[in-house]
Amino acid sequence: MSAYHRNHDPHDHDPHDHDHGPYDVAAPSPRSAPHVLLAHDVGLLVIRLGVGLIIAARGAQHLFGWWGGLGIDNTARAFEKFGYPAAKFMAGVAGVAETFGGLGLAAGLLTPIAGAAVAGTMANAVDVVWPLGLFGGFEFPLLIGAGAAGLALSGPGRIALDALIPGLRSHRVVYGVAMLVLAAVLAAITIGIRGLRPRCPLPRAA
């Protein structure tokens, strides 16, 4: 037996030896434990339901006049005062984005698209009420828009209809980024067009 084999018993193990070789697998992170993942999924579900159902109800007010809302005709007149061209069409687009984007968020269905649709609509709402300031002005659309954008980036979690769709079962942040960039471009165009048109000043709260 060679000197190497006499001095290197393969059964010897040094507990302080950290050279584990290429086949050792690192211990799983505690953040990937099942109870932690479940907590994330439940938290995302609560946020989705809160943001989604609130903005869906607001969209139904604009489209159908439900729950004391304006309805599409009065909403169109308000959009005309805000300076939007083709006011009834734009009011319809906003109402559809709010209603179906909100329902999509609540159900976790096509979440990147739903979140971006709501976020883009809220960007326009923020621009409309910007002269009123944060409090009593644009804090509501800002909060809803930020929540929707966050969900577009994070995905809906596993308690969602997207979990049943093969292409969306494994959410990737690039899906949300792509949809939010598209929504931002469309919102910027709409806001730019509105800025070129005359509009009525907003009434300030007493």
Side-chain angles (χ1 to χ4, degrees), residues 62-150:
H62 292 157
L63 288 177
F64 312 117
W66 294 354
W67 303 299
L70 294 176
I72 189 62
D73 290 331
N74 288 329
T75 300
R77 282 191 279 272
F79 270 50
E80 187 173 10
K81 292 180 180 179
F82 296 154
Y84 285 101
K88 190 164 187 176
F89 172 76
M90 296 300 293
V93 169
V96 168
E98 291 172 335
T99 303
F100 292 100
L103 292 176
L105 287 177
L109 178 62
L110 303 176
T111 306
I113 298 174
V118 171
T121 305
M122 292 300 99
N124 275 270
V126 166
D127 180 65
V128 168
V129 296
W130 185 269
L132 300 180
L134 176 61
F135 301 110
F138 61 84
E139 83 274 23
F140 173 77
L142 179 63
L143 178 62
I144 295 294

